[in-house]
Amino acid sequence: MNFGFDAQVTASGRTTAGINFANLNVTPGNGGIYMRIEETDTNDPVRNFHVWMPDWQGQSFAGQGWQPGAAFSPFHPLFRARLAPFSVIRFMQAQESNTTDIRTWADRRSALDIRQNSGSGGSRSEPLANGMSVEHMVQLANDLDADPWFNMPHMADDDFVRNFAIYVRDHLEAGRKVYVEWSNEIWNSAYGFEATQWVLAQMQLPENTGLTQWQIAGREAKRDMDIWSDVFAGQTNRLIRVGAGQAGNDWVTARILDAMQGSFDAVAIAPYFSPSGPQRNSYTAATTVDQVLADSRSAIDVAVQQVTNHRTLANARAAALNRPIQLLAYEGGAHMDGSSVAYRDVFYAAANDARMGDLYREYLRRIDAAGLDLYVDYNFTGRAGATSYGDFAKLHRMDEPLSTAYRYNAVVAAADGSLWDPASGARTFAAWCTNHGIATIATNDDDADGMRNLLEYALRRHPVSPDKAAPVVAAMSQAKPELRFAYNNETTDLDLEIQSRPALETGTWQTVAAKNIEGSWSNAVVGVAVNEMPGGQIVLTDNRAVTDKSFYRFGASTRGTSYRSFPTKNSSTPGLG
């Protein structure tokens, strides 16, 4: 065996159990891990390869082999932590929707495959582009307590669509919704968007004589949406059927919706903002980041108008169908594609400039005000460096310092609500109460949601409007308790702590993690890991041995008052078991 590219072998040999191993030192880069089998015995070939990540915050992954139903997640804790702020995950790229070759259920990827991606157009070893397995995608949605958004392959037969829908219905956790869309951007004729070419080819068939591109696309979408509706009969409140169109042309969107004949619950577009064509034509190698950012800011007006136009369209369809129709952004953000070498580098620099984070905040506020119901950003992660495809990634590495992840921080602020909270800038409990128009009394519960004002302040809740979402989410991660919550990290008067004990009614509460005004979150006992993300997002993992049960509670106190709030066992505040 030989290894290469980003990996170097530091040690190799055979364990006492007779298993061959190699320790790899991997330098993060774009090369990946190269593995070559130099020689093997055809009668007893090398097999059962596993590649395990290094230990992380006290967690070891060596020896794991995930399959559906396992007690642990196949996804790295840091990957999950940095996706945790988001309530909807669109799997378009994970499914390789633009280049997918899937036609039948037999073409799907197995959950047991060591790789969950084929690469654009497939590869020599994996010629069939079939993306990630449905089992992995549903698992990630369940891990994150997020709603998944799936794209049905444009060539998939009815049997594939039905089996996919059945699996989602039966394995997506209770309370979760699913968004379903047919293919992706069937109006896009750019290289790599194979569904558009497929639709155009269908127009040439005798049975489709006289049908337009949009009629065929809408017909195919309706067929898949009707199958999903049939599978989710009796629980269609969990299903959002998406009719996707073109942001810059609401006429195209309307024609696709016409052909879907009401088999949709939401209209979706991609209202990107970007310098215009004439502006790009004027750019040279001397164009500055300042100029690109200024032109990008003016382009937000265009994105807002696209949302406004489609809000009008969605409202008209809602009136015609006599039921609500949502308006969604299936993608969005700054479209800084560097298709011209002349401005490729300056586009990359502009995309990663701190001021781009401010532009994102302005953009997100304005498209929300224009009537958007849900925004799904494109995209989560991607390679660093200027390319002809541009830089859409909010993170270039999972362990990227978040202090300079400006676009990521902006979308997290939108996800946790702090982007719109008029009192989010309050640094003290007294100022926060004043901004919300309530008395500065920590023990009050002005909105009668079971949570006292001090805890609302500490956990970024709204004190005069009952919050529906749980303030703290408890889950099991690799058979270990994991707590996820967002705290108010902008304060100058707040001390926080998390305590645990093995029994709810008896025993001594032990502080396992704490944060005071002067410092950051830290573990108070060995085995507890605390990871902080932008916007005060916290993931606490308790890696200590738990024999039966473990109970947790969240406490807050302010320096300006003598009051210290912990929930009681009868409270609906975040005491978690």
Side-chain angles (χ1 to χ4, degrees):
M1 299 290 301
N2 277 333
F3 295 88
F5 291 167
D6 290 338
Q8 289 185 329
V9 178
T10 59
S12 62
R14 184 186 294 266
T15 68
T16 56
I19 297 177
N20 298 299
F21 74 90
N23 291 340
L24 305 179
N25 180 35
V26 180
T27 302
N30 294 333
I33 299 175
Y34 173 80
M35 183 182 75
R36 179 183 176 90
I37 302 173
E38 299 287 359
E39 183 180 356
T40 188
D41 184 342
T42 56
N43 295 318
D44 186 20
V46 290
R47 57 195 179 274
N48 295 334
F49 294 101
H50 296 275
V51 181
W52 291 297
M53 294 287 283
D55 293 355
W56 187 81
Q57 292 194 352
Q59 298 183 51
S60 176
F61 313 107
Q64 292 182 351
W66 184 83
Q67 57 184 350
F72 59 90
S73 172
F75 299 98
H76 194 276
L78 184 57
F79 176 77
R80 301 198 316 269
R82 294 201 165 177
L83 273 175
F86 307 111
S87 61
V88 174
I89 306 297
R90 185 171 182 251
F91 286 98
M92 182 277 294
Q93 201 155 6
Q95 291 182 263
E96 299 180 305
S97 298
N98 292 327
T99 59
T100 181
D101 295 318
I102 287 178
R103 294 175 182 269
T104 70
W105 188 238
D107 292 335
R108 75 190 187 282
R109 182 176 294 274
S110 168
L112 303 181
D113 282 1
I114 192 169
R115 289 179 13 138
Q116 289 293 316
N117 181 273
S118 306
S120 179
S123 63
R124 185 171 61 181
S125 60
E126 296 188 57
L128 185 75
N130 56 4
M132 185 182 288
S133 74
V134 62
E135 294 87 351
H136 275 83
M137 292 185 287
V138 170
Q139 178 69 43
L140 181 59
N142 289 341
D143 286 346
L144 298 171
D145 294 316
D147 296 334
W149 181 322
F150 298 117
N151 297 67
M152 292 297 94
H154 60 277
M155 296 186 294
D157 63 18
D158 291 357
D159 184 56
F160 175 92
V161 176
R162 183 172 297 278
N163 285 329
F164 194 110
I166 290 172
Y167 185 89
V168 174
R169 181 198 64 192
D170 295 346
H171 293 87
L172 188 64
E173 65 184 11
R176 297 264 64 84
K177 295 184 177 181
V178 54
Y179 295 78
V180 185
E181 175 187 359
W182 182 73
S183 191
N184 176 61
E185 296 194 352
I186 52 81
W187 48 265
N188 196 331
S189 58
Y191 174 78
F193 289 83
E194 296 179 3
T196 300
Q197 303 306 317
W198 182 85
V199 171
L200 294 176
Q202 298 304 301
M203 292 174 60
Q204 308 306 313
L205 299 178
E207 61 267 30
N208 292 326
T209 299
L211 295 181
T212 69
Q213 176 181 354
W214 320 123
Q215 289 173 321
I216 293 174
R219 179 192 69 191
E220 297 299 313
K222 172 179 168 53
R223 177 158 56 236
D224 284 7
M225 298 305 109
D226 289 349
I227 292 172
W228 277 82
S229 296
D230 182 56
V231 170
F232 274 75
Q235 46 183 312
T236 52
N237 61 320
R238 299 181 65 199
L239 177 65
I240 297 95
R241 301 165 301 170
V242 177
Q246 186 176 12
N249 193 334
D250 52 305
W251 182 88
V252 167
T253 307
R255 301 293 75 76
I256 294 172
L257 298 179
D258 288 344
M260 291 183 70
Q261 300 178 15
S263 294
F264 58 90
D265 308 298
V267 178
I269 58 173
Y272 284 101
F273 66 99
S274 175
S276 67
Q279 288 169 338
R280 291 173 182 237
N281 291 338
S282 70
Y283 292 165
T284 68
T287 299
T288 65
V289 169
D290 290 350
Q291 182 63 55
V292 172
L293 291 175
D295 292 341
S296 296
R297 181 182 294 278
S298 65
I300 295 176
D301 293 340
V302 177
V304 171
Q305 188 60 55
Q306 292 171 348
V307 173
T308 301
N309 294 345
H310 281 84
R311 180 72 269 173
T312 300
L313 175 61
N315 289 345
R317 296 308 168 105
L321 295 169
N322 195 30
R323 55 184 171 85
I325 297 296
Q326 300 179 52
L327 178 61
L328 320 177
Y330 65 81
E331 292 175 16
H335 203 295
M336 309 302 288
D337 58 292
S339 54
S340 171
V341 175
Y343 54 79
R344 184 174 299 169
D345 290 338
V346 73
F347 264 33
Y348 181 76
N352 292 279
D353 190 279
R355 291 167 292 177
M356 182 59 81
D358 297 331
L359 284 188
Y360 259 75
R361 285 173 165 81
E362 177 183 345
Y363 163 74
L364 291 168
R365 289 189 184 100
R366 292 186 62 191
I367 60 175
D368 174 73
L372 200 64
D373 294 307
L374 173 70
Y375 171 81
V376 180
D377 191 83
Y378 182 84
N379 63 352
F380 176 48
T381 186
R383 295 178 176 181
T387 71
S388 60
Y389 300 105
D391 180 29
F392 295 84
K394 303 305 166 290
L395 295 172
H396 297 125
R397 288 172 49 160
M398 282 302 100
D399 58 353
E400 178 179 339
L402 297 181
S403 58
T404 55
Y406 307 113
R407 292 172 292 170
Y408 176 80
N409 293 340
V411 292
V412 167
D416 67 24
S418 61
L419 187 65
W420 291 278
D421 185 358
S424 64
R427 299 303 181 96
T428 66
F429 179 63
W432 179 81
C433 290
T434 298
N435 288 354
H436 281 295
I438 60 176
T440 311
I441 303 175
T443 54
N444 279 3
D445 180 9
D446 288 84
D447 56 4
D449 65 354
M451 182 175 289
R452 293 165 176 167
N453 286 346
L454 181 57
L455 284 174
E456 301 250 31
Y457 171 61
L459 288 168
R460 285 194 181 277
R461 313 286 281 183
H462 202 290
V464 294
S465 177
D467 297 283
K468 297 180 180 179
V472 182
V473 176
M476 297 299 291
S477 173
Q478 301 189 42
K480 299 296 183 183
E482 182 178 271
L483 307 182
R484 298 198 295 267
F485 61 91
Y487 80 99
N488 191 345
N489 64 340
E490 299 175 340
T491 68
T492 59
D493 64 343
L494 197 60
D495 292 333
L496 307 169
E497 61 183 305
I498 298 174
Q499 298 181 340
S500 75
R501 68 182 181 187
L504 178 61
E505 304 283 353
T506 60
T508 301
W509 287 101
Q510 179 186 22
T511 298
V512 297
K515 181 196 180 300
N516 57 34
I517 296 170
E518 295 80 12
S520 58
W521 279 94
S522 62
N523 62 316
V525 296
V526 175
V528 173
V530 184
N531 184 44
E532 179 163 0
M533 300 171 294
Q537 296 284 335
I538 296 295
V539 178
L540 180 146
T541 306
D542 194 341
N543 294 303
R544 299 173 298 169
V546 178
T547 56
D548 186 14
K549 300 180 180 70
S550 188
F551 296 84
Y552 299 84
R553 65 180 187 176
F554 178 95
S557 60
T558 61
R559 299 289 176 93
T561 69
S562 59
Y563 178 70
R564 185 166 182 255
S565 179
F566 270 111
T568 65
K569 69 176 183 179
N570 296 320
S571 170
S572 61
T573 53
L576 300 171

